[in-house]
Amino acid sequence: MPAAPPDIIPDFSPLLAERHVALAVSGGSDSTALMHLAADWTRVNHPGLLLTVLTVDHGLRAGAAAEAVQVGQWAAGLGLPHHVLRWDEEPKPVTGIQARARAARYGLMAAWCRARAATALLTAHTLDDQAETVLMRLSRTTRPESLAGIRPAGDWQGLPLLRPLLRLKRQALRDWLSDLGQPWIEDPSNEDARYERVRARRA
């Protein structure tokens, strides 16, 4: 397996004090890269660390269940346990879908982590996400203190959130995955211009 080039090696050193952490993996390029990078780092630097892969099926697209199964197969290939969490709220919201889905996703993963003694959740936010977030906030305010971007560390309902890919570019991660021969899943909602983040990404 080709080693990750120096420009996409994240800082996983905060994990040295942990015994069990979860990875949020949808199957997109960013989270699939996170899964590979974390597995590689753990194998060499902290073999006693348990990594668990979590995938949330929001029930919003017909193909989501099959995609979650695919993520489980990729995780198994890396020797990582995988769990699918389902957003069972019905009916699904018709407005503010992305915000509601995000809250549900993090709520489900935080509850799973608390129940299984996982002490942190890693997400795959990249430098591209950072730029999109600042652009979205810029469209709402001119106050400098309101323009803060995504932070490398945060929390959700008291659960620490770590974002080790935040300084990395999405294309560099995709190039590395291609070198590995590792595919990823393209979510069609990422091309839906009804969503503000998609419009920011295109801008």
Side-chain angles (χ1 to χ4, degrees), residues 95-163:
T95 60
I97 296 173
Q98 286 202 321
R100 290 281 295 278
R102 177 181 181 273
R105 177 168 66 253
Y106 279 100
L108 287 166
M109 291 189 291
W112 189 96
C113 288
R114 286 194 296 269
R116 275 83 174 178
T119 52
L121 175 68
L122 276 65
T123 69
H125 292 90
T126 66
L127 189 60
D128 300 73
D129 295 303
Q130 183 76 282
E132 294 159 11
T133 297
V134 171
L135 183 60
M136 288 161 59
R137 291 177 180 174
L138 185 62
S139 70
R140 300 190 187 103
T141 181
T142 58
R143 296 170 57 198
E145 63 271 23
S146 300
L147 293 177
I150 305 169
R151 297 176 179 175
D155 75 274
W156 185 272
Q157 299 173 353
L159 176 72
L161 298 181
L162 304 178
R163 304 177 180 100

Side-chain angles (χ1 to χ4, degrees), residues 3-22:
D7 62 329
I8 67 162
I9 295 178
D11 178 14
F12 286 119
S13 60
L15 302 186
L16 288 169
E18 307 294 344
R19 290 291 175 263
H20 181 197
V21 301

Side-chain angles (χ1 to χ4, degrees), residues 16 18-19 38-51:
L16 288 169
E18 307 294 344
R19 290 291 175 263
D40 290 349
W41 180 89
T42 299
R43 192 177 302 114
V44 173
N45 298 282
H46 192 359
L49 176 65
L50 173 61
L51 299 177

Side-chain angles (χ1 to χ4, degrees), residues 56-61 85-89 92-109 156 187 189 195:
V56 175
D57 178 358
H58 298 88
L60 295 172
R61 294 186 294 104
L85 310 178
R86 291 181 173 82
W87 184 26
D88 292 327
E89 177 183 338
K92 294 293 192 294
V94 294
T95 60
I97 296 173
Q98 286 202 321
R100 290 281 295 278
R102 177 181 181 273
R105 177 168 66 253
Y106 279 100
L108 287 166
M109 291 189 291
W156 185 272
D187 183 344
S189 66
Y195 299 127

